[in-house]
Each structure stands twice: as C-alpha cells, then as structure tokens.
C-alpha cells in the first residue's frame, strides 16, 4: 500500500510539472500576441486582457468595449461592421487625365488649339474649308512637307467628246507646225487626274504667310482604240510654286475674303514638235467664302518664252483668268469653272466646266464632269469641243 502511494505521488508530481509547463507556454504565447498588438490601439489590448465587467466598462472605444463584454460572456463576435468610408455614399469624381494627356487636350477658347473633332478625322485632314485646306490659321497648322489635296483626284473610264481633234495645229498662222497625217482617234477615251500640294515654308505658326509646292497631272488615254495600240493621247504636267496669305476680311452680305495668293505656274505636255505645247503664267488669286459656298477669282499673266511660241495667242482661247465656284450640299460637291479671254468680237472665247461629286461609300464619290469650250487640254487649246465624263473621285473641290 505504501509502495502504491509512492507511485501515485510520483505520478502526480510528474503531471503537475507537465501542466505547469503547458500553462507557462500558453502564457508566453498570449503575452507575445498581446505584445504584437499595435501600440496605438490600447483599447484592443485592454479588451483582450480584461477579467471583470468593470474593466470592460472602463474601455472608452465602443467597438473594443463590446468585444470585451462578448469575450467575458462567451459570445462569438459579430461580423465586422463596414467602415465609415464604406458606409458613406459614393461621391462622383470627374474623370481625371494624366498630366501629360491633360496638357494635350485642346482648349476651345484657344484660337491656336486644334478642336477635338479635328483629330483623327480623314475629312478634316483633307480639308473642308479654305482655312483647313490652306492652313490659314494657327489652329489649322500641320507639319511641313506633308502631302495635302489640291485639285480634284479622279478617274473617268468614260470621257466622250463631241468631236476629235485629229489634226492639232498651233494656229493658222503657223501651218507648217501642224500634222501632215491626221490622227486616228476615238471619241471615247479614259481620263484621270492626280493633284497634290505641300507646304514648304511659313513665316510663323499662325498661317499669315506660307509657301507651297504643288503638282497636277491629267491624262487622256485612248484605252478603247485598239487600232493604234491604245496610246495616251495627251498628258499635261503642271508644277506650281504658290504663296498664300490668310486674309479674314469681312465683306457685305455675309461674305468674307479668306485668302489671297500668287503662284508661278508652268504647264506643258512634254512632247516634241509639232505636238509640243507649253506656257508659263503668274496667277493671282483672291478667295471668298460664305457658309458652304466658295468663290475664287484667278486672273493670270502669261510669261512669254524667249524662243519660239508653241501656243500662239493661247490667252485668246484658254482665257486670261477664271472663276471657280464651289457649293457643298451635305456630302455632295458642285463646282463650276468659267474661263474667258476678256476680249470682245472674234477674240471672245473661253470655256465652262461643271463637276458634280456625289457620295458612294466611305471616301469614294461618283464623279460627273461636263465641259464645253476651248482648252480642255493643251493640245486642244484652240480647238472647241463638248465633253462628258463619268467615273469616281477620292478628292473633290471644296
């Protein structure tokens, strides 16, 4: 019996030692957790260590005091309430742009800032107004040497003439410069034109004075004439050097003078005698606008060659100036070009050309061209005809 009591005493001593070790370990862990609490939250620390309701009542923070009571009474804490920031109603905040992007946003009140609708728009690049086409204001400026539209760019698979110039001659004054054998021509042919310009210099960024280089080429192709191997009947080459100045002068009846210009123009067909035709001109221009209507007055002065004249009296046929009137009707564009010799009697000659561009789809337009008079091309400068052409265009007069 004594031996049994001795063994029981040893067992109790061993159990007591193990229990003391566990209590010590738990106490160390709890102390470590309490020590890990943020120093700035003493209320949470007090709630975790309180032993009586009186100690809980002494806690100032409402949430910590409630947690203290729950812990003492063995109640599981409720889900954490939403924070004050989450409870507050959302406040609409205007969309903010990065500093770099905000700096690039154009200001409507800034006359030198491109408007948002002018960005990434093909029609704005092509130009709808004179100011856009010729960069007459600081808002319309684009980089130099960037190709821009000039005259219409079109393809006419059908270009029919009332009569063909089978024996082109400069004039009755130079019969030896005519053809000995008449040309074999069809009345129907194809016609196309390309025309571009580019700004090469400007006085400043406000469009007050600019210098442009331009080039226009138009060809008449006897593509349906298989009898003579479908030749190009006539191609005219027309480089120009143009000086423009934005005017913006108010005129009566709602008109305004938007631009004045002066250009040095050369036009030739690049052929040898007797079919060679060429001349040089100094062309003045004043352009007026009112709403969707534009009127350009373009008188010119011929610069005579020092050598022989391939085009005697060309001014009495092609004219000494022209008037170009364009009218936009939605996506339809009408243009009338009238030329005259500015002489009377048998020297009163000229021409008229009507063009109508109508939308087909995307940037493609149908194109109708009607011509009557002298000088439809350089080879025909003194030959009168009427012509009808139908096709498509990608750039029109504006």
């Amino acid at each position: 019996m004594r031996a049994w009591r001795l063994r029981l005493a040893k067992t109790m001593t061993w159990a007591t030692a193990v229990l003391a070790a566990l209590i010590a370990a738990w106490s160390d862990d709890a102390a470590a957790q309490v020590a890990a609490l943020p120093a700035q939250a003493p209320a949470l620390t007090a709630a975790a260590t309180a032993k009586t309701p009186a100690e809980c009542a002494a806690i100032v923070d409402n949430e910590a005091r409630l947690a203290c009571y729950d812990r003492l009474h063995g109640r599981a804490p409720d889900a954490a309430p939403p924070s004050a920031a989450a409870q507050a109603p959302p406040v609409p905040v205007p969309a903010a742009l990065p500093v770099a992007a905000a700096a690039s946003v154009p200001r409507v009140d800034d006359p030198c800032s491109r408007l948002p609708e002018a960005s990434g728009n093909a029609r704005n690049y092509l130009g709808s107004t004179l100011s856009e086409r010729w960069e007459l204001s600081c808002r319309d400026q684009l980089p130099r040497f960037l190709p821009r539209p000039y005259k219409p760019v079109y393809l006419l698979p059908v270009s029919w003439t009332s009569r063909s110039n089978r024996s082109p001659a400069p004039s009755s004054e130079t019969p030896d410069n005519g053809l000995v054998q008449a040309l074999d021509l069809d009345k129907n042919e194809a016609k196309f034109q390309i025309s571009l310009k580019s700004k090469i210099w400007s006085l400043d960024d406000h469009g007050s004075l600019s210098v442009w280089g331009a080039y226009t080429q138009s060809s008449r192709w006897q593509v349906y004439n298989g009898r003579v191997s479908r030749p190009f009947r006539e191609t005219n080459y027309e480089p120009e050097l143009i000086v423009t100045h934005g005017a913006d002068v108010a005129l009566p009846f709602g008109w305004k003078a938007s631009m004045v210009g002066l250009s040095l123009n050369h036009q030739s067909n690049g052929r040898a005698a007797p079919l060679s035709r060429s001349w040089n001109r100094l062309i003045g221009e004043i352009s007026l606008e009112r709403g969707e209507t534009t009127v350009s007055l373009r008188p010119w002065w011929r610069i005579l060659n020092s050598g022989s004249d391939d085009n005697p009296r060309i001014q009495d046929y092609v004219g000494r100036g022209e008037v170009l009137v364009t009218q936009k009707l939605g996506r339809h564009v009408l243009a009338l070009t009238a030329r005259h010799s500015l002489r009377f009697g048998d020297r009163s000659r000229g021409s008229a050309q009507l063009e109508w561009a109508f939308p087909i789809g995307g940037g493609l337009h149908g194109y109708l061209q009607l011509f009557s008079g002298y000088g439809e091309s350089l080879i025909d400068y003194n030959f009168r005809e009427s012509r009808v052409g139908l096709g498509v265009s990608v750039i029109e007069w504006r």
Side-chain angles (χ1 to χ4, degrees), residues 334-393:
L334 293 172
L336 174 65
T337 305
R339 298 174 175 175
H340 197 266
S341 63
L342 304 180
R343 296 293 185 269
F344 300 100
D346 59 356
R347 298 174 65 189
S348 176
R349 305 182 185 91
S351 65
Q353 179 169 280
L354 177 65
E355 297 162 276
W356 173 32
F358 50 92
I360 294 178
L364 191 65
H365 282 67
Y367 207 72
L368 176 66
Q369 187 180 84
L370 306 176
F371 176 88
S372 181
Y374 292 89
E376 195 279 331
S377 67
L378 273 180
I379 198 69
D380 302 320
Y381 83 91
N382 56 356
F383 182 80
R384 184 179 180 88
E385 64 177 315
S386 295
R387 184 176 286 269
V388 179
L390 182 63
V392 295
S393 68

Side-chain angles (χ1 to χ4, degrees), residues 255 290-294 325-330 332-336 355 397-398:
W255 288 91
R290 188 181 70 175
E292 300 292 343
T293 306
T294 303
V325 181
T326 63
Q327 176 68 53
K328 291 184 293 182
L329 301 170
H332 296 254
V333 181
L334 293 172
L336 174 65
E355 297 162 276
W397 287 114
R398 292 181 176 86

Side-chain angles (χ1 to χ4, degrees), residues 196-224:
L196 295 172
K197 67 178 185 289
S198 179
K199 183 173 64 178
I200 57 180
W201 179 86
S202 61
L203 181 64
D204 52 33
D205 291 334
H206 290 72
S208 58
L209 187 67
S210 300
V211 179
W212 299 73
Y215 178 76
T216 303
Q217 178 178 320
S218 60
S219 296
R220 291 89 182 151
W221 183 13
Q222 288 273 300
V223 66
Y224 309 109

Side-chain angles (χ1 to χ4, degrees), residues 130 251-258 287-295 326-328:
L130 278 174
L251 299 174
F253 308 109
W255 288 91
K256 72 171 181 177
S258 298
S287 295
L288 316 177
E289 283 185 296
R290 188 181 70 175
E292 300 292 343
T293 306
T294 303
V295 177
T326 63
Q327 176 68 53
K328 291 184 293 182

Side-chain angles (χ1 to χ4, degrees), residues 296-316:
S296 296
L297 309 174
R298 291 165 46 89
W300 55 66
W301 298 265
R302 184 183 182 189
I303 303 174
L304 293 175
N305 299 330
S306 57
S308 61
D309 189 357
D310 293 333
N311 321 286
R313 299 171 53 200
I314 187 173
Q315 307 98 306
D316 289 343

